[in-house]
Amino acid sequence: MSSIITLTLPGEIMFARLASQTASSLADLVIGENREESAKRKFCHAFELAVSEAVTNSVTHAEEFDAPQMLTVTFEFEPRQLTVSVRDANPPFSIDKSAPDIESYPVHGFGLKIIREIMDQFTYRRDGDANIITMSKSL
Amino acid sequence: MKTILAFRESEYAWVHEKFPCVHPLLLPLCNKPFIEFLIDFAILAGSSAVRILCDGGLGEVERYCEDGSRWGIDLSYASIHPDDSIHAMLGKNRKFCGEERVMIVSGFSFIRYDKRYDYKSFVSSMPPGEWSTCPGGRITLTGVPTKAVPDWLIADLSLMPLDSMTSYYQASMETLKTGESRYVLPGYGDEPECAFGRNVVISKSVEIRKPVSIGNNVQLLGNAIIGPSAIIGSNVIIDRESSVESSIVFDNTYIGEHLEIIGRIASGNRLNDPKSGASIAMEDPHLLSGIKKNRHLRSLPRKIVHACVALVIIAAFFIPFIILWPLLKLGGHWKSSPASFLAERTDETMPLAKVEVDASGAAAAIAVALSLDRYFRLFRVVTGQLALIGSTPLLAGESRPDAPAYVPAYLPGVFSYAEAEEWAATGGDATIVERFHLAHSNPLTDIGLVIKAFINRFQEKSTI
Amino acid sequence: MNITETSNGAIAIVAIEGRLDALSAPELRNNRSVIDPEKTVVLNLEKLDFMNSTGLGAIVGALNQKLQPDFGIVLSCMNDDVRSVFEITNVQKLFHIFDDTAAAVEFATTRQGAHT
């Protein structure tokens, strides 16, 4: 049995924080009492961080094109995994960029690397005029 | 007492090159990760907390060792710079060290210790300074001793640099020979010098010559000769008539039929000579022909049999599918998204729908149990693009160790051979099972395996 | 996010509390000591609960402005969650990282003394 929670947010930076804090609270709610405290904390942090990266990416991308719009964050709870999708109406973007070279002191470009590292599954697809990022992590 | 284990990437760069599938600190010595030997030693020396320092990434090590609770110690991680001295390391970890005595083990070297000695008393009575060194490695103690050295105390140890495949091979073989008497090693066994992991299947005609160490989920098939001095990792298949002597076989490796592995390190699809350091890909027909891509994979009879069986399944499940699919689709329980998967031919891809059925209702549960989520893929078997049973289709664009570029046998199927086994159908386990069946199955055994996979999926989905 | 600044000799100790993300990163980017190329700063992260890649970018960007990128910004007392962000991105290689702020200040003072 799965449950779905959907947040519809204005594409503004302050709401990226709201989405990530919601992600952390939801992860804490579903992870279960019988897990070790350190494992619980790690899971919640990973989920919070991944949502923070995806939503921040979406919001800053919208600002680049001067087109802040609503974005939708959907959390789906299944018995064995937690999935989150971020949907926005921005122009398409590439996910094939490699992580920046740290010797050049980069200030951008780490978001996708972080998501790929901490989540079990990550997909990006274009659905009509929308970008959809979907990320899952096993419980 | 506390322990710092400090490493620099430059010390173990050779491991990245020779064994890219494993983090150097998790390099197995006699089926036990290197770092565990050091943690064991820190505990023997009386440490309550261990901190691992490195100038490179420690993510994999951290995922494996976690917070140390499985050893009953407090394990933490921190980073250093390549040129940090021991003094600098102590400064960077001042809070961790506190006022206690600290043992610093630095360098990528193996500690030859003996668990029967009382290192705890020894460490607490030693004066500060260097305890033992080797090229590239040292053990240093800080702080004042808390005890006087008892006259009777002997606590011998030495360091051995792990600076090449040769020294790694030596350390592994030495550990295998000295075995349980000196170190805590994994596996069970009624006889000395013979350690077996869980789920080791040994055919009757297999000969085991001590000393050997065998990991988990291992199949040793007819007339194979294992040992003397064989270290076999986990998720390994040693096929018929093959022998492994004075060699190390890494996790997730399939050794084909009629092969002699003597004095070698087999890792994935590479065979390494520890003496010369030479490394050869296993596709080489002179070495391990059994692993070469099986020509039968593409054979016409196999394709015809698969297509015929696929047609039978399409016909048999047509009615449940035509009822359930629209029902689930309308109810939003059937989600389908396009994705690009690797095709049988190297460098080619094919579009396939990824179907997810939310099994929360009765109709969805039936659809999942009947594998109707794979129904559309059956038509690809009829057109010859997919096998009915084969490898799990791999998503294109992902860099992974089991990608066809590295694995000699890949035949994407509607069902996977791993689903026909009771082994966990993920990761290395699945890859090794698929490789084994791709080398051995024929059109007729495929039919049996499809039925098995179908039943396994049915049982699994029915019990969720 | 709260930023508290103290000093120890020529070294500025900037303590960050709360969350360092896209919303709060500009505050760090505008801190006078952090953006001063000549100022050596110890960033005390003991009370930093959460940081994402935008926050990380702000710290890396600040280091890049320093005349001495080797010790212009020294980090101290980060928790495991924050450390994991440095670790995943490999950015920890750019910094000297201490688990004790006093030790970080001593290090920064020594390095600065040796440099001048």
Side-chain angles (χ1 to χ4, degrees), chain C residues 4-115:
Chain C
T4 320
E5 191 172 336
T6 53
S7 64
N8 186 317
I11 311 295
I13 304 164
V14 176
I16 307 176
E17 195 176 334
R19 299 173 68 89
L20 183 54
D21 55 13
L23 191 61
S24 54
E27 206 179 326
L28 182 69
R29 286 195 204 107
N30 295 329
N31 180 279
R32 203 186 300 167
S33 296
V34 168
I35 59 172
D36 180 351
E38 291 180 13
K39 192 85 178 167
T40 299
V41 173
V42 170
L43 271 188
N44 177 358
L45 307 180
E46 188 171 10
K47 292 182 179 166
L48 181 64
D49 302 320
F50 177 85
M51 181 183 76
N52 70 3
S53 67
T54 314
L56 181 76
I59 296 178
V60 174
L63 181 66
N64 195 25
Q65 289 178 4
K66 297 291 178 188
L67 292 177
Q68 295 302 331
D70 182 39
F71 61 88
I73 290 188
V74 178
L75 306 176
S76 75
C77 303
M78 59 177 74
N79 70 26
D80 280 348
D81 292 342
V82 173
R83 190 178 57 78
S84 73
V85 180
F86 279 90
E87 164 86 31
I88 291 165
T89 53
N90 225 5
V91 163
Q92 89 277 10
K93 288 184 176 226
L94 297 175
F95 294 91
H96 286 280
I97 302 173
F98 289 74
D99 70 355
D100 179 72
T101 303
V105 172
E106 277 172 35
F107 168 84
T109 309
T110 313
R111 282 291 171 103
Q112 198 174 45
H115 185 74

Side-chain angles (χ1 to χ4, degrees), chain B residues 434-449:
Chain B
E434 286 170 5
R435 232 178 286 176
F436 172 76
H437 283 299
L438 285 171
H440 283 281
S441 64
N442 58 50
L444 287 178
T445 55
D446 276 354
I447 297 174
L449 289 165

Side-chain angles (χ1 to χ4, degrees), chain B residues 204-217:
Chain B
K204 274 184 183 169
S205 50
V206 170
E207 197 179 322
I208 306 269
R209 298 172 181 170
K210 294 190 289 188
V212 294
S213 169
I214 296 174
N216 302 322
N217 301 328

Side-chain angles (χ1 to χ4, degrees), chain B residues 6-74:
Chain B
F7 309 95
R8 291 171 181 86
E9 275 187 318
S10 58
E11 295 161 351
Y12 56 58
W14 68 270
V15 183
H16 278 306
E17 188 197 327
K18 299 292 181 189
F19 308 115
C21 52
V22 60
H23 188 287
L25 300 186
L26 301 178
L27 187 68
L29 279 128
C30 215
N31 285 325
K32 176 167 171 151
F34 163 76
I35 195 76
E36 280 200 57
F37 284 91
L38 300 193
I39 292 171
D40 283 354
F41 178 67
I43 294 167
L44 279 175
S47 294
S48 58
V50 174
R51 178 163 286 183
I52 301 174
L53 310 182
C54 190
D55 61 349
L58 282 171
E60 275 177 68
V61 181
E62 199 171 339
R63 278 191 287 278
Y64 177 79
C65 298
E66 296 179 328
D67 61 0
S69 52
R70 94 172 81 141
W71 294 280
I73 54 159
D74 179 15

Side-chain angles (χ1 to χ4, degrees), chain A:
Chain A
M1 183 83 184
S2 70
S3 319
I4 294 175
I5 292 173
T6 303
L7 290 178
T8 304
L9 306 164
E12 293 167 30
I13 209 70
M14 64 184 291
F15 294 105
R17 182 179 285 186
L18 176 72
S20 62
Q21 286 179 319
T22 307
S24 174
S25 304
L26 291 175
D28 187 49
L29 203 67
V30 297
I31 190 162
E33 292 299 316
N34 49 358
R35 296 281 287 272
E36 269 185 35
E37 205 48 48
S38 64
K40 265 171 92 166
R41 190 184 50 75
K42 270 196 176 150
F43 183 88
C44 295
H45 173 255
F47 209 69
E48 178 178 11
L49 183 58
V51 172
S52 175
E53 296 298 347
V55 177
T56 304
N57 185 55
S58 175
V59 169
T60 48
H61 199 49
E63 283 175 352
E64 266 175 44
F65 293 95
D66 202 21
Q69 297 181 37
M70 301 300 278
L71 58 99
T72 310
V73 185
T74 307
F75 299 96
E76 186 171 355
F77 307 91
E78 288 165 279
R80 291 178 189 175
Q81 71 173 11
L82 196 49
T83 301
V84 58
S85 317
V86 179
R87 184 189 178 102
D88 64 39
N90 294 328
F93 60 90
S94 168
I95 59 161
D96 297 327
K97 284 183 217 157
S98 52
D101 174 19
I102 58 151
E103 298 300 330
S104 61
Y105 295 84
V107 296
H108 300 294
F110 290 120
L112 285 176
K113 180 172 172 54
I114 290 175
I115 292 174
R116 284 199 164 104
E117 188 79 19
I118 60 180
M119 299 301 273
D120 298 331
Q121 283 176 43
F122 164 77
T123 57
Y124 163 72
R125 69 189 167 94
R126 195 77 187 148
D127 181 16
D129 287 337
N131 295 306
I132 303 177
I133 281 181
T134 307
M135 308 172 285
S136 303
K137 195 163 178 68
S138 299
L139 285 167

Side-chain angles (χ1 to χ4, degrees), chain B residues 239-243 255-261 287-290:
Chain B
D239 215 332
R240 291 186 284 259
E241 314 274 348
S242 288
S243 59
I255 303 291
E257 296 178 335
H258 306 290
L259 300 170
E260 271 194 355
I261 312 281
L287 266 173
L288 291 160
S289 54

